[in-house]
Amino acid sequence: MALATVFVLGLGVRAFAAMATFETKKITDNVYAFRYQFHQAMFVVTPDGVIATDPIGFLRPQAVTTYIDEIRKITQAPIRYVVYSHHHYDHIAGGKPFKDLGAIFIAHRNAKAHLEQLKNPDVVLPDLVVDDRTTLTLGGTRLDLIYTGRNHSDNSLVMLLPKEKLLFVVDFLPIEQVMFRNGPDGFIPDWFDSIDRVLELDWDRMIPGHPGPGGRLGTKEDVRAYKQYMMDVSDAVKQAAAQGKCWDAAMKEIKLPKYEKWANYDAYLPGNIERFCSYWGRGY
Ligand SMILES: [Zn+2]
């Protein structure tokens, strides 16, 4: 396995020296984070079975077989569920090996609707759908699947383990990273309300869908910092829009040095400005 690799990924280009291709981290007695390259999924192990999340196998079936092998190193209990965080391929493609093991696939209702239209042969369609909220209870562990409204997609489910006070969140709350490109499937201003709903939930640590700096977990402080970042972009662009600078001049001129250390700042800040220019400049 390559020890020093540059990955071109959903959230941009980042160099990771000496980062293994995959890693499984034990977070609590029953909760694990599985990372493959720059994507991450959570799985929950109970005596009665396993709840897995995003297969993260887009264009790399070996990620999914590795994921299952990693689960099997810990338990032989059946894999009962696979829960999709949202419908984007980079997180959910490649789930067939889980389906072949008998897992039930769960997603938000809107995710299923998109996937039925898209008909990607590499994506397993959900068997069950969630509207606002549902609870899975398995082998003494409770996992809440919660829709906090539209944000980076119109179907993101956050997954809360109330006893462990752990939250799994994918793509709409990156840790010390700017938003992906111009938020191509994103909803402004709903995103802000969605963040507030996440802050209202009772949790201490957040497992992100892409590893944070040094692979650390997130906190509510990270969520507040990300919301502040979005507000700072929004405020700067609102001013620029009023001066007729949207899109091109704003995308060139606006800098937010407070965030220049965040991942993908140079690559994606202009796209982030573009998104808010559409909102403030045209009302899109
Ligand atoms: Zn996504």
mmCIF file of all heavy atoms in Angstrom, residues 86 88 90-91 152 170-171, ligand 1:
data_model
loop_
_atom_site.group_PDB
_atom_site.id
_atom_site.type_symbol
_atom_site.label_atom_id
_atom_site.label_comp_id
_atom_site.label_asym_id
_atom_site.label_seq_id
_atom_site.Cartn_x
_atom_site.Cartn_y
_atom_site.Cartn_z
ATOM 1 N N HIS A 86 -26.807 10.477 2.936
ATOM 2 C CA HIS A 86 -27.499 11.266 1.906
ATOM 3 C C HIS A 86 -27.222 10.559 0.584
ATOM 4 O O HIS A 86 -26.538 9.537 0.580
ATOM 5 C CB HIS A 86 -27.067 12.740 1.905
ATOM 6 C CG HIS A 86 -25.628 13.009 1.571
ATOM 7 N ND1 HIS A 86 -24.579 12.368 2.197
ATOM 8 C CD2 HIS A 86 -25.049 13.855 0.671
ATOM 9 C CE1 HIS A 86 -23.434 12.825 1.705
ATOM 10 N NE2 HIS A 86 -23.686 13.710 0.772
ATOM 11 N N HIS A 88 -25.515 11.192 -2.237
ATOM 12 C CA HIS A 88 -24.367 11.434 -3.134
ATOM 13 C C HIS A 88 -23.494 10.187 -3.279
ATOM 14 O O HIS A 88 -23.108 9.562 -2.286
ATOM 15 C CB HIS A 88 -23.540 12.628 -2.629
ATOM 16 C CG HIS A 88 -24.298 13.924 -2.671
ATOM 17 N ND1 HIS A 88 -23.928 15.042 -1.968
ATOM 18 C CD2 HIS A 88 -25.429 14.269 -3.358
ATOM 19 C CE1 HIS A 88 -24.789 16.021 -2.211
ATOM 20 N NE2 HIS A 88 -25.713 15.574 -3.040
ATOM 21 N N ASP A 90 -20.418 9.484 -3.875
ATOM 22 C CA ASP A 90 -19.106 9.252 -3.249
ATOM 23 C C ASP A 90 -19.250 8.657 -1.848
ATOM 24 O O ASP A 90 -18.312 8.065 -1.333
ATOM 25 C CB ASP A 90 -18.232 10.523 -3.249
ATOM 26 C CG ASP A 90 -18.831 11.679 -2.478
ATOM 27 O OD1 ASP A 90 -20.044 11.936 -2.611
ATOM 28 O OD2 ASP A 90 -18.085 12.351 -1.742
ATOM 29 N N HIS A 91 -20.434 8.797 -1.249
ATOM 30 C CA HIS A 91 -20.639 8.198 0.077
ATOM 31 C C HIS A 91 -21.399 6.872 0.033
ATOM 32 O O HIS A 91 -21.222 6.045 0.923
ATOM 33 C CB HIS A 91 -21.343 9.195 1.002
ATOM 34 C CG HIS A 91 -20.458 10.363 1.321
ATOM 35 N ND1 HIS A 91 -19.556 10.339 2.369
ATOM 36 C CD2 HIS A 91 -20.277 11.546 0.682
ATOM 37 C CE1 HIS A 91 -18.858 11.472 2.365
ATOM 38 N NE2 HIS A 91 -19.281 12.219 1.352
ATOM 39 N N HIS A 152 -26.571 20.625 2.570
ATOM 40 C CA HIS A 152 -25.722 20.224 1.451
ATOM 41 C C HIS A 152 -26.485 19.336 0.452
ATOM 42 O O HIS A 152 -26.063 19.158 -0.683
ATOM 43 C CB HIS A 152 -24.495 19.525 2.060
ATOM 44 C CG HIS A 152 -23.718 18.624 1.181
ATOM 45 N ND1 HIS A 152 -22.597 19.035 0.511
ATOM 46 C CD2 HIS A 152 -23.863 17.313 0.892
ATOM 47 C CE1 HIS A 152 -22.084 18.010 -0.152
ATOM 48 N NE2 HIS A 152 -22.834 16.950 0.054
ATOM 49 N N VAL A 170 -22.408 13.933 7.751
ATOM 50 C CA VAL A 170 -21.649 13.852 6.505
ATOM 51 C C VAL A 170 -21.857 15.110 5.639
ATOM 52 O O VAL A 170 -22.994 15.482 5.342
ATOM 53 C CB VAL A 170 -22.028 12.580 5.721
ATOM 54 C CG1 VAL A 170 -21.297 12.535 4.389
ATOM 55 C CG2 VAL A 170 -21.692 11.350 6.553
ATOM 56 N N ASP A 171 -20.772 15.733 5.296
ATOM 57 C CA ASP A 171 -20.642 16.774 4.269
ATOM 58 C C ASP A 171 -21.192 18.154 4.616
ATOM 59 O O ASP A 171 -20.680 19.143 4.115
ATOM 60 C CB ASP A 171 -21.271 16.348 2.927
ATOM 61 C CG ASP A 171 -20.368 15.390 2.149
ATOM 62 O OD1 ASP A 171 -19.239 15.122 2.614
ATOM 63 O OD2 ASP A 171 -20.792 14.907 1.089
HETATM 64 ZN ZN ZN B 1 -22.384 14.971 -0.427
#
